[in-house]
Amino acid sequence: MDISEVRKGSKVLIDGFPYNVEDAEFMKPGKGRAIYRYRLRNLVDGKSIERTYHSGDSLDPANISTREGQYLYKEGDHYIFMNTDTYDQYLIEEYKLADKAHYLKEGMIVITLFHDDKPLDITLPIFIEATVVKSDMAARTDTVTAQMKRATLETGLEIDVPTFIKEGDAIKVDTRTGAYVERIVAKK
Amino acid sequence: MTDEEARHLTSLERNLKRRALILNITRRFFDDRGFLEVETPLRSPAIAPEKEIIPLQSEGWFLATSPELYMKRLLAAGYRQLYQISRCFRKGERGRLHNPEFTMLEWYRAGGDYLTMIADTEQLVLTISRELGLGDAIKYRGKTIDLTAPWGSLTVREAYKQLAGWDPGHSPDPVRFDTDMVMKVIPHFNAHRPTVIFDYPAPMASLAKLKPDSPGVAERAEVFIGGLEIANAYSELTVAAEQTARFQQEIAAIKKEQGRDAPLPEKFLRAMEKLPASGGIALGLDRLVMLFCDAASIDEVMAFTADTA
């Protein structure tokens, strides 16, 4: 694509790697060439770079797409997902998921980011529900401020929860912040 | 309406009011000095061919990238002092300081030259500042700028030697010249004074005449205030044969590098036979308004931009 069509949010290929344009600056002496300065993030390793281009330059667009997937199970250092349209399975390495791996529960639906046919990353649902499998006993105090304690969820995530939460309770967690939201009351 | 939208509206409204005032003061400035305000076509069958200024098309004609050629046809017809405030269109120019549709102020003086036009600019900017009640200094992006004349000035060669560390000579590499202009030269001008750079290398003469005693440079000057390129002045080239040769070279480069067809503006070239010695200048009015509104972006001084149109 012509460099004048590349803007913030464009996905481009540099040295074979897909990059997201995070910031684009257009500069131009009135009678002179247009100068395009970009900050780009490598979608594979997350590193950010800066590049300058001129009018007449071009960049190849990166074929980036998102597809819905269902998390199936973990195998070694890989997490296995299934495309919910085609039922094809694909795997994502643990290092690519980083902290997101601690929120994955079997059967969970996520959005997967692909470069061509290679999965790069996932987007979690904003809220997940999970069962508390381990939590400390809270010490009783007389203060009126909310008391929190550590708890481990079935997904392996460790978070702070209010003292009234017991092992076996289901709770709602915000995946953007890792914060406890509320207890899920089972329907009778 | 959210709080943020409300705040934006208030500051935009303040800026649009100031913009209207500046237009008013500008018209009075030129009217008082005997300039005639004119309007010329926005759509034309041929415009000045310029490789780095890409026109928008309209039914096979071109939208104005500048009113320059018509202004000079009027000078050739005998008008002595002219000004115009008009919309110009330049394809693909969008950024913090650019919108593809913008407002240009151009004025011309038969008998003038590039330095006369710079002197006019000094007086115009000072007059606007005083009539807005700001006095002889404005505050732009946290810096105080002293607008009193004469403004700081240096040749293009001095500017590159001092601020970019190399001598552009009379025929610099154009990519290096343009890149260093925006990355090194403009950012290092004295932030507290307007700066004029003059005597551009001859290949960048465009429609300016070459300096008689120093033909390696053209009588072209540019004004910068607060890091913004504000205006571009020429001692106008009056030799039709030389202008035709420059245009033909530009047309060939446009075809070769961009595959674009640019017609030769023949009516202008014919009129040029009668063009008197004169000075002309084009000033980006939106950017001048930015300065007086302390606006970081051109979007803050336009009612609508290409993104909100």
Side-chain angles (χ1 to χ4, degrees):
Chain A
M1 64 207 287
D2 188 85
I3 203 71
S4 64
E5 291 162 27
V6 177
R7 36 191 65 106
K8 197 168 166 176
S10 294
K11 311 285 189 287
V12 297
L13 271 185
I14 299 173
D15 303 328
F17 288 99
Y19 283 83
N20 179 46
V21 177
E22 293 202 321
D23 201 20
E25 201 180 349
F26 174 87
M27 299 179 288
K28 186 181 184 302
K31 300 275 181 194
R33 280 160 183 70
I35 291 150
Y36 302 82
R37 195 153 65 162
Y38 299 117
R39 198 177 70 240
L40 307 116
R41 190 169 296 281
N42 185 319
L43 291 170
V44 176
D45 65 16
K47 291 201 176 87
S48 142
I49 59 167
E50 282 199 5
R51 289 286 166 97
T52 300
Y53 297 92
H54 301 96
S55 42
D57 289 346
S58 64
L59 279 172
D60 288 327
N63 177 23
I64 298 290
S65 58
T66 53
R67 295 167 220 169
E68 193 181 271
Q70 184 172 35
Y71 171 56
L72 299 179
Y73 57 92
K74 184 183 179 191
E75 193 176 84
D77 291 340
H78 300 103
Y79 287 78
I80 316 295
F81 296 83
M82 180 181 73
N83 182 319
T84 52
D85 287 333
T86 62
Y87 306 113
D88 289 336
Q89 291 188 13
Y90 53 90
L91 55 88
I92 305 182
E93 294 87 344
E94 188 163 17
Y95 76 89
K96 284 187 184 164
L97 296 178
D99 289 346
K100 291 175 188 166
H102 301 309
Y103 293 94
L104 286 173
K105 224 173 105 174
E106 280 175 27
M108 184 182 286
I109 301 294
V110 299
I111 303 295
T112 307
L113 183 71
F114 284 86
H115 171 224
D116 296 329
D117 284 321
K118 291 190 293 288
L120 295 174
D121 195 6
I122 61 166
T123 305
L124 294 165
I126 294 174
F127 299 109
I128 62 158
E129 292 178 13
T131 306
V132 175
V133 293
K134 184 169 165 288
S135 77
D136 304 332
M137 289 296 286
R140 263 186 183 286
T141 61
D142 294 329
T143 59
V144 291
T145 53
Q147 294 292 302
M148 302 296 274
K149 61 174 184 177
R150 296 300 281 173
T152 308
L153 307 185
E154 59 181 316
T155 59
L157 183 71
E158 212 181 290
I159 63 165
D160 288 329
V161 299
T163 48
F164 62 79
I165 297 292
K166 302 183 299 291
E167 285 176 10
D169 281 351
I171 62 167
K172 190 166 160 185
V173 179
D174 187 326
T175 61
R176 297 165 299 183
T177 57
Y180 164 89
V181 179
E182 63 183 7
R183 182 167 63 163
I184 309 290
V185 182
K187 292 193 183 73
K188 296 262 163 74
Chain B
M1 200 178 354
T2 66
D3 283 357
E4 199 180 327
E5 282 166 343
R7 263 197 306 278
H8 171 73
L9 193 68
T10 343
S11 76
L12 181 64
E13 187 181 2
R14 191 196 61 215
N15 292 350
L16 293 184
K17 283 181 175 166
R18 186 158 275 198
R19 183 186 177 106
L21 263 176
I22 290 170
L23 280 167
N24 245 304
I25 298 165
T26 301
R27 286 202 160 92
R28 207 160 54 237
F29 176 90
F30 287 106
D31 296 343
D32 287 351
R33 284 162 180 76
F35 283 78
L36 178 69
E37 178 171 11
V38 294
E39 293 180 290
T40 58
L42 286 186
R43 286 176 66 243
S44 302
I47 57 169
E50 291 184 89
K51 185 156 71 68
E52 303 304 337
I53 296 179
I54 302 177
L56 288 167
Q57 299 214 19
S58 165
E59 299 285 326
W61 284 22
F62 300 96
L63 294 185
T65 55
S66 148
E68 182 168 0
L69 302 193
Y70 289 115
M71 298 302 267
K72 290 189 201 168
R73 280 170 71 179
L74 289 172
L75 287 177
Y79 296 83
R80 301 290 295 174
Q81 295 189 173
L82 298 166
Y83 79 98
Q84 174 158 202
I85 296 171
S86 66
R87 282 309 174 95
C88 293
F89 303 83
R90 296 182 178 184
K91 191 176 174 181
E93 300 195 3
R94 182 73 181 112
R96 193 172 62 83
L97 306 179
H98 293 83
N99 192 60
E101 176 177 350
F102 63 101
T103 302
M104 190 87 99
L105 161 66
E106 294 204 359
W107 70 98
Y108 292 80
R109 276 181 184 274
D113 65 10
Y114 67 148
L115 300 179
T116 328
M117 309 320 286
I118 296 297
D120 281 344
T121 311
E122 289 172 339
Q123 292 314 309
L124 171 68
V125 171
L126 261 174
T127 301
I128 293 172
S129 187
R130 287 172 186 164
E131 294 200 16
L132 288 174
L134 302 171
D136 290 355
I138 55 166
K139 189 136 184 166
Y140 183 65
R141 307 280 88 203
K143 302 237 168 64
T144 301
I145 307 176
D146 172 6
L147 299 174
T148 49
W151 291 345
S153 74
L154 66 176
T155 65
V156 169
R157 282 182 82 171
E158 283 165 354
Y160 276 77
K161 282 196 270 189
Q162 284 173 27
L163 306 172
W166 59 286
D167 181 359
H170 293 149
S171 186
D173 168 41
V175 173
R176 187 180 184 201
F177 186 89
D178 292 339
T179 308
D180 278 8
M181 175 67 87
V182 295
M183 310 273 253
K184 294 181 181 167
V185 177
I186 300 173
H188 293 120
F189 285 145
N190 180 349
H192 302 283
R193 290 282 287 155
T195 302
V196 178
I197 57 174
F198 61 96
D199 290 356
Y200 273 68
M204 295 165 195
S206 195
L207 286 84
K209 75 168 192 185
L210 300 183
K211 206 169 170 124
D213 53 354
S214 171
V217 295
E219 293 194 355
R220 173 182 163 197
E222 289 227 19
V223 176
F224 299 84
I225 309 177
L228 309 182
E229 180 187 352
I230 295 291
N232 179 44
Y234 296 150
S235 296
E236 303 297 347
L237 176 63
T238 53
V239 184
E242 188 177 342
Q243 188 66 73
T244 306
R246 286 190 202 172
F247 278 167
Q248 276 166 341
Q249 199 180 358
E250 196 74 5
I251 287 168
I254 290 169
K255 185 71 186 170
K256 182 163 173 266
E257 291 176 37
Q258 301 171 355
R260 196 153 61 79
D261 286 313
L264 194 65
E266 286 168 9
K267 286 179 188 147
F268 163 72
L269 290 167
R270 274 200 300 279
M272 213 175 162
E273 306 287 354
K274 292 192 179 129
L275 184 63
S278 35
I281 187 164
L283 181 150
L285 203 90
D286 309 280
R287 292 192 190 157
L288 194 64
V289 176
M290 282 175 67
L291 278 178
F292 288 114
C293 291
D294 192 18
S297 156
I298 200 166
D299 296 33
E300 295 169 38
V301 300
M302 297 182 130
F304 300 97
T305 65
D307 295 321
T308 55

